[in-house]
Amino acid sequence: MNRRLFIALALILVFCGQSLSQTGTKKKRPLPYEFGRVVLNNYSEKADLSPVVFEHWIHRSKFTCRVCHVDIGFAMKAGATGIHAVDNERGYYCGSCHNGKMIVDGKAVFAACSNKKLTYEDQRRCDRCHSIGKKVPSDFDFFTFSQPLPKERFGNGIDWEKAEEMGLIKPASFLDGFTIPKHSLAAQKDFDLNPKVEGMPDIIFSHKKHTVWNGCELCHPEIFMGVKKGNSHYNMVDISEGKSCGACHVTVAFPLMDCQRCHSKPVQP
Amino acid sequence: MTTGITCKRMIVAGLLCTGLAVPVGVYAIGEPPPSASQSAPARETWQKEFDSVCSRSQDAMSFSEEELATLIKRCDVLLPQIEKLDETRKKVYMGRLRMCRGLYAYVLESKRNEKK
């Protein structure tokens, strides 16, 4: 009896061990054209449509982060906005630009889906975003788009900051009807932060670059709550879980594995 | 006798009021009349106020504590007006107002902490 119990327990342990070892899989690193991709499926499948595939790379080349995440109001977390077709129809969220009227690069931006009965043409238009599992032709090809841009090692493989400095992309900071006209923001001072690990170069935080793209309210206080410098403590575990810097640097901005982009101050001997 | 006359007067006054109310329409106090031509300016009013309050977020650091407190109060006044909007605009502008108010409150707290 005892021997049978022992064998049974041993088998259970071996079986569980095998299955547990398979669940702790390493996350697949996205390819350059996949980096920043967001799949939205709040209501799509319930409406018999494929989930939406949103490509950050093309949108971020046209607009600053603030236009979409402050002025239009897209949440910073995938799926948290809860966009309905009716929101787009009313001219908000995706419908702010995807209205069939707005002209970008001399072309009208295709209109977002609506709740109306769909014709074949409408269906094809819907498929442009509701595209999971479909081969949908796009106006933009990542490789053609990224070819002339300065290169980076990770993420999309593009140095977006340099691309803007060189005038190769011109992200607009104003969207008519959404952005409140404001005078340009006074340049914010960059500052350095000391890492906890000895020998690790200090972090030079580019406050200027971040405010130009994000404004103030995108980061404060919802992402960075600390009021006084040095009062909040950040660590790489939290960051890799999407907190603080990780809100963008895990999902769309250059990723965490590009250590030296932040830990950039030379170590003093 | 006097009570009878008073009653008649009240009935006549009531009828007159009803008669006036029909062509003019009755609206709850403080609410705009529901005609499209008149409700548009009302909508613009909250939007203008929203733009005016939230357009200053760039200058938040340069405001005094009193100015920041006033801006926060103005945000709070806007909140019930935005809550009355249709679901889409409510969702958009509640989020925007939350961020805008949040920033002013954050800077105000930061200024108060500096004094400590």
Side-chain angles (χ1 to χ4, degrees):
Chain A
M1 181 67 189
N2 274 351
R3 200 176 159 192
R4 276 185 190 169
L5 192 69
F6 177 76
I7 292 168
L9 278 171
L11 280 171
I12 289 168
L13 278 173
V14 169
F15 183 75
C16 289
Q18 273 184 338
S19 21
L20 280 174
S21 68
Q22 279 165 19
T23 51
T25 48
K26 207 176 157 190
K27 232 180 174 182
K28 182 186 159 256
R29 195 171 130 193
L31 294 165
Y33 61 88
E34 294 171 331
F35 187 74
R37 178 179 286 176
V38 178
V39 175
L40 302 165
N41 191 18
N42 296 85
Y43 310 108
S44 301
E45 283 181 323
K46 289 172 199 157
D48 284 332
L49 289 162
S50 294
V52 169
V53 178
F54 172 82
E55 300 291 6
H56 248 120
W57 61 265
I58 188 63
H59 292 86
R60 69 173 295 184
S61 73
K62 307 284 178 200
F63 291 99
T64 61
C65 316
R66 189 181 52 76
V67 169
C68 300
H69 292 287
V70 176
D71 302 342
I72 296 178
F74 286 110
M76 293 294 283
K77 221 168 186 171
T81 317
I83 307 159
H84 288 88
V86 71
D87 298 331
N88 297 331
E89 254 182 284
R90 285 172 177 161
Y92 292 90
Y93 297 120
C94 312
S96 314
C97 299
H98 286 276
N99 50 23
K101 293 171 197 158
M102 187 173 163
I103 306 291
V104 171
D105 300 335
K107 264 178 100 175
V109 182
F110 66 90
C113 273
S114 71
N115 274 336
K116 289 172 207 154
K117 202 177 173 190
L118 302 178
T119 62
Y120 176 69
E121 278 306 309
D122 290 334
Q123 187 64 54
R124 283 189 57 180
R125 203 182 68 238
C126 290
D127 285 349
R128 295 186 69 163
C129 299
H130 291 273
S131 60
I132 275 267
K134 294 176 186 171
K135 277 191 177 174
V136 182
S138 169
D139 291 341
F140 301 95
D141 170 60
F142 179 79
F143 297 101
T144 316
F145 166 82
S146 61
Q147 197 268 329
L149 303 180
K151 301 287 177 276
E152 249 307 335
R153 293 176 302 168
F154 301 108
N156 294 122
I158 296 167
D159 186 335
W160 292 98
E161 198 177 337
K162 208 168 173 189
E164 193 188 11
E165 274 168 22
M166 292 165 74
L168 297 171
I169 57 161
K170 293 181 181 71
S173 58
F174 189 89
L175 181 63
D176 200 22
F178 290 88
T179 308
I180 310 169
K182 293 174 185 176
H183 61 80
S184 53
L185 184 65
Q188 299 297 303
K189 280 182 190 159
D190 293 352
F191 55 84
D192 61 319
L193 299 158
N194 306 109
K196 287 174 187 168
V197 182
E198 208 180 321
M200 187 68 133
D202 277 10
I203 299 144
I204 307 273
F205 176 75
S206 168
H207 210 174
K208 186 182 167 192
K209 186 74 241 173
H210 282 80
T211 45
V212 167
W213 278 352
N214 301 331
C216 308
E217 60 269 61
L218 185 57
C219 301
H220 301 292
E222 295 189 3
I223 298 175
F224 292 94
M225 285 175 286
V227 168
K228 211 170 181 181
K229 190 191 156 192
N231 278 6
S232 301
H233 299 282
Y234 308 105
N235 63 68
M236 291 310 294
V237 175
D238 285 348
I239 293 173
S240 65
E241 284 171 0
K243 290 174 191 158
S244 62
C245 316
C248 301
H249 287 281
V250 165
T251 50
V252 59
F254 64 81
L256 303 178
M257 61 177 77
D258 208 352
C259 312
Q260 68 198 48
R261 291 282 299 265
C262 297
H263 291 273
S264 53
K265 190 176 178 180
V267 182
Q268 298 302 313
Chain B
M1 184 70 181
T2 326
T3 324
I5 292 168
T6 317
C7 267
K8 274 182 188 172
R9 278 182 186 163
M10 279 174 73
I11 291 165
V12 170
L15 284 170
L16 277 170
C17 283
T18 317
L20 279 171
V22 171
V24 175
V26 183
Y27 314 116
I29 295 163
E31 272 181 26
S35 71
S37 59
Q38 287 177 349
S39 61
R43 193 172 70 240
E44 277 175 11
T45 309
W46 74 260
Q47 183 102 49
K48 276 181 189 167
E49 174 63 359
F50 174 84
D51 289 356
S52 162
V53 175
C54 294
S55 64
R56 300 168 189 210
S57 60
Q58 314 273 62
D59 304 316
M61 293 292 286
S62 63
F63 290 140
S64 67
E65 285 181 29
E66 291 72 31
E67 285 170 318
L68 288 164
T70 308
L71 286 165
I72 293 168
K73 266 185 200 158
R74 285 172 69 186
C75 287
D76 293 340
V77 171
L78 268 169
L79 187 70
Q81 295 173 57
I82 289 173
E83 275 174 343
K84 285 181 195 162
L85 299 173
D86 62 68
E87 277 307 308
T88 304
R89 287 189 301 159
K90 191 169 130 183
K91 192 161 55 173
V92 171
Y93 284 98
M94 288 286 275
R96 293 184 67 175
L97 189 71
R98 189 193 68 238
M99 281 200 264
C100 166
R101 189 197 185 280
L103 178 74
Y104 295 138
Y106 169 83
V107 177
L108 179 62
E109 195 194 333
S110 139
K111 289 195 178 242
R112 283 177 181 161
N113 276 9
E114 269 172 25
K115 280 184 181 174
K116 284 177 191 171

